Amino acid sequence: MAAVVDATHPFAEQISANAAAACRAAGVPLLRIARPSWQDHPLAETWTWVGSHDEAAIAAAGYDRVMLTVGKQSVDYYRALPNVVARMLELPKTPLPESWTVLQERGPFTVEDEAALLRNEGIAALVTKDSGGALTQAKLEAAARVGTQVIIIRRAAVPAGIEQVRTAQEAFEWVISPGSRPRPCR
């Protein structure tokens, strides 16, 4: 194998850590595609940034109605919240609290649709992860429009020594130009 490109979700931390360890062990160069964070978004300073789901659940507890867009694997952190709208692609294996409203939906969504959802559901706070990119950004702009507070979970640090690019095109250029690649991660 000449090289590995890690194109997983920004929160697929275990997969990325495994890829880094495997590439180090095999002496194979590794590149990570990391879509741009929302840290530089014009509204970023108005959001509450937290370091974990535990911190996000504590921050969300102060709001009457909360919308979660954190995925099925993370909902357990929020089970103590009584008044939740949870949007996810798939339901978790464990039943969700009866007081929750569950929306099984796949985006992308428009700013107008997201604003209508937040307004119609009376959402006071939106909890999401810093997944970045444009496809899921509409909820952030909609929250600003309707006055919904945004709580964002920061990304974990990328393993040391891993080169990153922002786009698939940059990764393609890295793959076809082996002479420009850094040495395998150590």
Side-chain angles (χ1 to χ4, degrees):
M1 181 178 327
V4 172
V5 175
D6 176 0
T8 58
H9 189 277
F11 282 82
E13 295 147 3
Q14 190 60 56
I15 295 171
S16 293
N18 290 347
C23 287
R24 277 188 188 96
V28 172
L30 172 64
L31 178 74
R32 173 149 175 76
I33 301 175
R35 68 176 89 134
S37 164
W38 288 325
Q39 290 180 337
D40 296 326
H41 189 282
L43 296 169
E45 290 185 18
T46 68
W47 304 329
T48 301
W49 290 83
V50 297
S52 69
H53 286 286
D54 286 325
E55 290 177 31
I58 291 167
Y63 294 92
D64 290 334
R65 187 143 167 92
V66 175
M67 182 168 175
L68 300 176
T69 62
V70 296
K72 74 175 185 176
Q73 295 158 326
S74 304
V75 295
D76 286 344
Y77 293 96
Y78 305 93
R79 287 183 180 274
L81 298 176
N83 199 1
V84 169
V85 174
R87 181 166 61 201
M88 58 191 71
L89 297 176
E90 299 174 5
L91 295 175
K93 292 180 182 176
T94 308
L96 295 170
E98 288 184 26
S99 64
W100 287 21
T101 300
V102 178
L103 306 174
Q104 273 190 272
E105 300 176 323
R106 177 185 299 275
F109 304 100
T110 66
V111 173
E112 292 75 22
D113 289 341
E114 294 288 69
L117 174 64
L118 295 172
R119 197 171 22 258
N120 294 341
E121 291 289 340
I123 303 298
L126 167 69
V127 178
T128 194
K129 300 182 287 192
D130 181 18
S131 55
L135 288 178
T136 56
Q137 184 172 290
K139 63 188 167 198
L140 303 172
E141 293 174 22
R145 274 193 197 176
V146 302
T148 297
Q149 178 58 46
V150 175
I151 301 166
I152 297 191
I153 301 156
R154 286 185 188 92
R155 298 175 182 182
V158 174
I162 306 299
E163 183 179 354
Q164 294 187 86
V165 295
R166 292 179 168 229
T167 68
Q169 180 61 41
E170 290 172 296
F172 175 74
E173 291 168 10
W174 183 85
V175 168
I176 64 170
S177 303
S180 67
R181 283 188 211 139
R183 286 193 237 176
C185 50
R186 306 242 181 252

